Structures are given as C-alpha cells and as structure tokens.
Amino acid sequence: AKSTNGRFDVAKRQENGHVATNGQMINAGSAHVYGDVMTNGGSVMNTNNVTGEIKNDFYQELFTVTAPRVTPEIGSRSAIRNGTELVARSDRPANYLVSGVSISGQSTLRVRGNADGSRTYAQLIVNGNLSVSGQGAIQLDPGVFLRIFVKGDVDVAGNGFVNPNSVLALQLYGCDRPKGPNGEPASLGNMKIAGNGGFSGAIYAPNYLIEIKGGGNSDTVFGAVAGHLVSMTGVQGVHYDEGLADGGL
C-alpha cells in the first residue's frame, strides 16, 4: 500500500523519514525532510523544508555490534579478491569468514541463490577492510539475504552494491572498535558508499564515520543509516523503508 512493485513511489509518500542524533546538532542544509528532526538537547539548522516536528529531547540506545562466531563453509576462501562467488543457503545462513574483500576492475562478488529466486541466506564476516573500485560490484541474486560484518574500513565505489531484493535483504554492520581508557572508541572506523545507482539496504555502524556520496539522478538511498557521524552529498533522496522494522538491528 505504500510502494509500487516494492519501490518508493512519490505519490504514496509518508512522513516517516526521520533524522535524529544523540548529539547536539543537525544541519538539514537545503534538504526536504518528510518527517521529524530530533536532537539530544541541541538545535537544528536550516529547518525551512522540514515537514514534521523539531524536538530536542531525543535519545536512542545504540546496540553493540559484534561479529557472530561462525564456522566457515568447507572449502571457502580466506580472502576475497576479484571474480569470487559465494553461495547462499535456504536451510541456514551460509557462513564466510575472510581477512578482507577487494573487488576491482570489472569484477563482481556474486552471492548466488536458488535459480527460482526463493529465499536464501548468507553471512560474510570481514576481519579487515572491504573495498570495491573501478567498475566492480557486490551483486546479490534474487531472493538472497546477506549480512556483512566488517571490522576494518569500508570503501565502496564502482557499481557498488546491487540488491534487487527488499532493503532488509542487505544489512551492512560496522563492528564496534576497541575502546580507550575513557570507554570511548580509541579510533573511529571509516565507511564510504559511493557506488553508481545509490544504495538499497541498511547500514548500522555506531563507531564509524559514514559518508554516502552520489552524483546522478539515480543516486538514491532506500533503507536506513546509523553511524557515529553520517554525511550525505550529491544524494538525490533517502527513503526509509518500514519493512526494516521486521529484522536486523
């Protein structure tokens, strides 16, 4: 009732695109925000195009993000380079544990599902960095649900993530960083998403500086983003999908 063929339809737009911070400041810039804007005892700048309420009593507990302990699939690689294929399973999540992911040139990391498009599942735990460059891509088959847990930095350009499924099918988690003596992260991770055609999925990385960069009319984010600091430039639109309430953090 709120989408067309599972995708955002401006004719059915709701006002649930909320923006919030546990900190003091939000700068809405020239963006139109169809929803509420909330801070924790702070202020909001450039509110002319905010349709919802502006509140200063917001606080949301952030969940700890730790990579699950898994036994990798028999025969799976210890690192992912160009042209790799992972296989998702229908009976349980297929588990892959790697030291890093590096996709470049015109190569693709494909997560293959069932030929009939029925639901399959996979988890990818990356102990190091994840990068996509050139015309590379991470491609989900129809019906594939993929969760990625990254302990290092993320730099995704090229054709980025290709997710033909619901936004819940792609969940990208930045794991919590080692803490210093004051209990805060000793250093923040970096996560940059700049692939062609935008992003469809959920990003949850409270210990990461998240940058989402666009540059074309199709550069749109479908889903949700949570981070230590989130900046978006050149992105045409961000649409929260209520289906995300059905799973994930």
Side-chain angles (χ1 to χ4, degrees), residues 74-173:
I74 296 175
S76 61
R77 300 186 182 188
S78 60
I80 292 177
R81 298 293 182 260
N82 297 331
T84 303
E85 183 177 283
L86 306 179
V87 179
R89 301 173 58 114
S90 54
D91 56 337
R92 62 165 178 81
N95 292 308
Y96 299 93
L97 176 63
V98 298
S99 60
V101 176
S102 179
I103 309 297
S104 60
Q106 297 185 5
S107 299
T108 297
L109 167 58
R110 177 189 176 191
V111 186
R112 179 162 58 87
N114 292 333
D116 61 1
S118 57
R119 285 194 175 192
T120 52
Y121 306 89
Q123 290 188 129
L124 174 61
I125 292 89
V126 184
N127 284 326
N129 298 332
L130 183 154
S131 69
V132 178
S133 60
Q135 295 301 310
I138 297 177
Q139 168 79 54
L140 278 63
D141 275 10
V144 167
F145 282 69
L146 174 66
R147 298 201 307 175
I148 303 175
F149 292 85
V150 180
K151 296 182 180 180
D153 292 333
V154 176
D155 189 351
V156 176
N159 290 318
F161 292 97
V162 182
N163 174 22
N165 309 300
S166 72
V167 295
L168 194 59
L170 176 59
Q171 299 175 28
L172 176 59
Y173 294 100

